[in-house]
Structures are given as C-alpha cells and as structure tokens.
Amino acid sequence: MEEYTGPDLNHDDSIIKLSSAVHRFRCPLISNNEKLSFSNSFKTSGSDPRTQQALREADRARNLFTESLEGASGNGKKINNQSILETAQVYRPKIHQILVTCKVRPDRARLDSRLFFAWQSGAESNGAKGRKTFQSEALMYELCMTIASEAMATAGLACDESANGDFASSANHYKRAAGIFEFLGETQLPKWVARGSSVEEKDLPVEVTIGFCKGFKILFLAMVRYSNQNESTLMYFLALVLSPVLCVNILNF
C-alpha cells in the first residue's frame, strides 16, 4: 500500500483545456516537390563543383522541408511543428543564397529547365475542391512562402505549449511568430514589389499578402497577452480548487 503524501498538485487536464482554447492555423503546403530540382535547373550555369554541391544541399533541404509540411496537411499524419520550423530554418538560407547569387551574377541565372514553385495555402480553400494551388517562377515567391511557413509553425508550437499549460513558452512563440510576419509584411514583401514584380496579390496565397501579414502580426501579439492572462486564469482556477483542500488539511493538522 502506497503511503499518502498529500493532494495531487498537478494541473488538472480539464482546467488546462478550459483556459487554453486557441485556434490552430494550418501551414502552407508544397504541391510539386517531385518535379523541382535546383541542381538540374542550374546544371550548366552552376557547373562549378562547389556550386553543384550547394544546389544539391538546397534540393535535400527542400525535400526534408516538404516532408515536414506534409505532416501538417491533414492527411492523417501527426503534425510536428518543431520539425517544420527546423527544416524551414535550414532551407531558408539556401534559397536566399540562390536568390542573391542570381541577383549579383545574372549569368548564373540561365536555366536548363524552368523552375515552377507551386504552393497551396493553409489559411484559405477553394470550396469543395480543397486547397487551391498557386504557382510562380519567382525565387522570391519561394523564399516568402518558406518564411510564412516558419511563422505558422512557430504559432503552431505556441498552440501546442498552450494546450500543455506552458503559457510562458506559448507567449514567447506567439511573439516570435508576430515578429516573422512583421518582417515578411513590412520588409520582404515590399522589397519584392519594389523590384518591379508584376505579380498581383490575388494570384498569391493569402499568407504572402501584406494585409494578411499585418493582420496576423496583430493577432499573434494579442495571443501573447491572451497566453499571459491564461497563466493568471489557471492560477485562479487552481486557487479555487486547492483552497478547500488546504483549509481542511490545516484544520486537521
């Protein structure tokens, strides 16, 4: 027989669920990964061994990033926001390196086969047809969608932590997600427009429109405050639950 050591002071699951209800937004999804290869597209202009190595690394990073996103596509796989975040952070500097190289060395931008970046939005659907695919040949489009995915995965981690009752970590991740969308909406997307891009926002996933980025920055900053309030709410509920127990224990002492 186990010795009684006092009341269980762990947070009750029902209290955590009551004080941590949040809406989880899906990440975007890459829809044509098997058809895309940087090393094949830049095979002639990037024939230098070091360049080819960098391109192969970009291909591998994109494949891993795609596999992580597929886990968040609602196809029965368990969502792993940490994996999405980590693979996005590995892939992002590689696509950025290719983008900068093409800008500085236009002679390196000659392609053996065209690059088509196809993404599906995680925040909007095409009615009964499901997710709508948006396609572009712009490297900047690929970079912006990767950044947006990083933001959504960060917010997903905040949801996970909120559900687990770790409101301090949840608030920190919401703050980071807001910062990523602030950078995307106020720096990266305007930079794309300033370069004379003819792409209209209606032809892009909503995650890479300036209005969406501004709105979700505000939303996630509000969630920071909500998470902090949840911490206080949880302490309030625990006080209500534990106060009678403590009083009884004191009287029986």
Side-chain angles (χ1 to χ4, degrees), residues 7-8 17 62 64 75 93 113 150 164 175 182 193 195 201:
D8 184 2
K17 290 178 181 179
R62 193 176 198 268
L64 291 173
N75 57 5
S113 59
E150 189 175 340
N164 292 330
K175 190 180 299 183
E182 178 180 29
V193 174
R195 289 178 178 173
E201 286 196 341

Side-chain angles (χ1 to χ4, degrees), residues 23-27 81 122-123 152 155-156 159 212 216 219-220:
H23 181 75
R24 186 187 302 275
F25 294 93
R26 297 186 301 179
C27 286
N81 290 296
M152 285 302 195
C159 291
F212 182 93
F216 268 63
L219 172 63
F220 290 149

Side-chain angles (χ1 to χ4, degrees), residues 188-205:
Q188 200 65 47
L189 289 174
K191 187 186 298 183
W192 189 9
V193 174
R195 289 178 178 173
S197 171
S198 59
V199 177
E200 297 184 16
E201 286 196 341
K202 65 181 180 62
D203 298 322
L204 296 171

Side-chain angles (χ1 to χ4, degrees), residues 13 22 33 45 53 72 81 84 86 94 124 131-132 149 179 199 211 216 221 236 251:
D13 288 344
V22 292
N33 188 57
S45 59
Q53 177 64 26
N81 290 296
I84 297 172
E86 290 175 357
K94 297 186 185 301
E124 58 181 329
R131 296 192 184 194
K132 182 180 179 181
S149 301
V199 177
F216 268 63
L221 286 177
Y236 172 72
L251 292 174

Side-chain angles (χ1 to χ4, degrees), residues 62-99:
R62 193 176 198 268
N63 289 336
L64 291 173
F65 180 40
T66 301
E67 290 174 5
S68 296
L69 289 171
E70 287 175 349
S73 63
N75 57 5
K77 296 181 181 179
K78 183 179 180 181
I79 298 175
N80 189 335
N81 290 296
Q82 185 63 44
S83 177
I84 297 172
L85 181 59
E86 290 175 357
T87 53
Q89 290 173 339
V90 171
Y91 177 55
R92 174 171 42 80
K94 297 186 185 301
I95 185 64
H96 183 262
Q97 182 183 16
I98 296 173
L99 177 64

